[in-house]
Amino acid sequence: MMHKLTLGLLVFIPITLIAEYLHYSPLIIFFLAALAIIPLAKYIGEATEELAGHTGPALGGLLNATFGNATELLIGIFALRAGLVEVVKASITGSIIGNLLLVSGMAMLVGGWKHKKQIFNRTGALASGSTLLLAAIALVMPAIFLQTSPDAGGMVIEKLSIFVAIAMLVIYLLSLFFVLRTHKHLYTEEVARYAPNWSKTKSIIILLIATIAVAWMSEVLVGAIEPVAESFGWTELFIGVIFVAVIGNAAEHTSAITMAIKNRMDLALQISIGSATQIAMLIAPLLVLISLFFSTPMSLVFNLFELIAIVLSIFITNLVVGDGESNWLEGAQLLVAY
């Protein structure tokens, strides 16, 4: 059923290109491009999962880290090129809180409704949680620095953001080494049992085609953001937190809930919490560094709402996963927090 739906949504790719060529309303183009990106993100996720079955869990984990959030990265790059820095920051915020609260909450609610109690690896979940706390500290520090030193110039903030971004990337690489090498037994038990359905060649071809198509659709989507925001009176924060974040994480939403229903909570939390960690520790710092090549560099100074939302999301998620068990009530609590 899900596969047929994904295939059906692919029809929006040519429809979006036709609408763009015929200069339809930016609102129509925006929503068509959003619908076109959803199945492409799903295929990127499936292709990396299939490749992981061929290459083993270590390289498979690296592929997931590289391509799992390709949609968010590509949308972010095109938005930065268009000067929509606040949209990019809002989408980072929305992706983090969406994965931690919405995706984890739905997975725990649906899985817990079918299974009275679901067990997952507490050490692995808390390791991801501590990395997220470090990300929260890294995102809060530039904002505190700006508040305590209001006379600091833009160049100082830019240099501080670059320094913090590099530090975050280093910690993320170390966390990958922890997951893929020194403590891979905590994360790869279920992945090791996965038997691929696609050949390695088919997986690589689908991954490349889907990634190129996402880049194309992302450029179209970003081009329609400003006209849509002006016509509806939406803020860049609203578009980034709600639309861009949900579109970019569509594949993770579906996969995590499916795994929870199958009582594979370890994998469900790897998808949700792991994706949030990637956004905070990999995508955000990469976008800071990439923005240096554009006219408007991106800093790591987030507004107060974004910072509070991120910190509280990380805090409540760590509380919920701290005992290594989940149930439907905890899922409902995460959804209410979202």
Side-chain angles (χ1 to χ4, degrees):
M1 180 67 179
M2 187 59 65
H3 181 64
K4 290 181 179 179
L5 178 61
T6 304
L7 281 174
L9 288 173
L10 289 175
V11 74
F12 286 102
I13 297 173
I15 292 175
T16 302
L17 295 177
I18 292 171
E20 174 79 356
Y21 179 75
L22 296 177
H23 303 291
Y24 274 38
S25 162
L27 176 63
I28 294 175
I29 294 174
F30 178 83
F31 284 105
L32 286 176
L35 289 171
I37 287 173
I38 291 172
L40 293 171
K42 177 67 174 172
Y43 275 114
I44 288 175
E46 283 188 24
T48 53
E49 185 179 1
E50 293 292 325
L51 277 176
H54 288 287
T55 60
L59 185 54
L62 183 58
L63 286 169
N64 274 290
T66 306
F67 289 98
N69 286 305
T71 309
E72 290 90 339
L73 180 61
L74 290 169
I75 293 175
I77 291 172
F78 286 114
L80 287 174
R81 193 178 72 173
L84 302 174
V85 175
E86 293 307 314
V87 170
V88 177
K89 290 182 182 179
S91 70
I92 290 170
T93 303
S95 294
I96 294 172
I97 66 175
N99 275 294
L100 292 180
L101 302 182
L102 180 60
V103 181
S104 297
M106 281 297 296
M108 289 181 183
L109 177 64
V110 176
W113 199 258
K114 184 175 181 181
H115 308 279
K116 187 174 182 180
K117 182 175 71 173
Q118 295 186 288
I119 310 280
F120 50 86
N121 190 292
R122 180 173 177 269
T123 305
L126 288 179
S128 297
S130 62
T131 304
L132 276 171
L133 279 175
L134 181 62
I137 293 171
L139 294 176
V140 166
M141 282 302 108
I144 293 177
F145 176 80
L146 186 61
Q147 289 295 320
T148 55
S149 304
D151 296 329
M155 187 61 68
V156 176
I157 296 298
E158 183 180 322
K159 289 181 179 179
L160 177 62
S161 296
I162 293 171
F163 174 78
V164 173
I166 292 173
M168 292 170 76
L169 285 173
V170 170
I171 291 299
Y172 182 74
L173 291 175
L174 291 176
S175 70
L176 278 184
F177 187 71
F178 177 87
V179 171
L180 303 177
R181 296 291 296 175
T182 63
H183 289 71
K184 61 182 179 181
H185 61 283
L186 298 177
Y187 299 87
T188 58
E189 292 177 359
E190 295 192 69
V191 178
R193 292 198 297 266
Y194 178 76
N197 297 313
W198 299 349
S199 68
K200 186 184 294 185
T201 302
K202 179 181 177 180
S203 301
I204 293 173
I205 290 173
I206 289 177
L207 181 61
L208 292 176
I209 292 175
T211 303
I212 293 170
V214 162
W216 199 352
M217 292 298 103
S218 298
E219 187 172 15
V220 174
L221 178 79
V222 169
I225 284 180
E226 285 188 301
V228 169
E230 289 175 6
S231 62
F232 279 90
W234 291 344
T235 64
E236 292 184 345
L237 177 66
F238 177 79
I239 291 177
V241 169
I242 303 299
F243 285 101
V244 177
V246 171
I247 291 164
N249 290 290
E252 288 97 329
H253 293 194
T254 306
S255 300
I257 294 169
T258 303
M259 292 302 105
I261 292 173
K262 295 178 180 178
N263 202 25
R264 300 174 68 183
M265 270 318 282
D266 271 306
L267 193 50
L269 290 180
Q270 283 178 40
I271 293 170
S272 59
I273 298 178
S275 182
T277 305
Q278 288 173 16
I279 292 291
M281 301 297 291
L282 177 66
I283 302 301
L286 274 179
L287 288 172
V288 168
L289 299 179
I290 291 171
S291 72
L292 298 176
F293 296 97
F294 301 124
S295 58
T296 309
M298 171 181 153
S299 71
L300 283 175
V301 179
F302 288 73
N303 66 41
L304 185 60
F305 169 79
E306 291 169 331
L307 290 175
I308 291 175
I310 291 172
V311 171
L312 291 181
S313 299
I314 293 172
F315 179 69
I316 189 173
T317 302
N318 281 342
L319 281 179
V320 168
V321 303
D323 59 356
E325 299 176 358
S326 66
N327 53 61
W328 67 265
L329 179 60
E330 291 178 333
Q333 291 169 342
L334 291 179
L335 288 176
V336 169
Y338 181 72

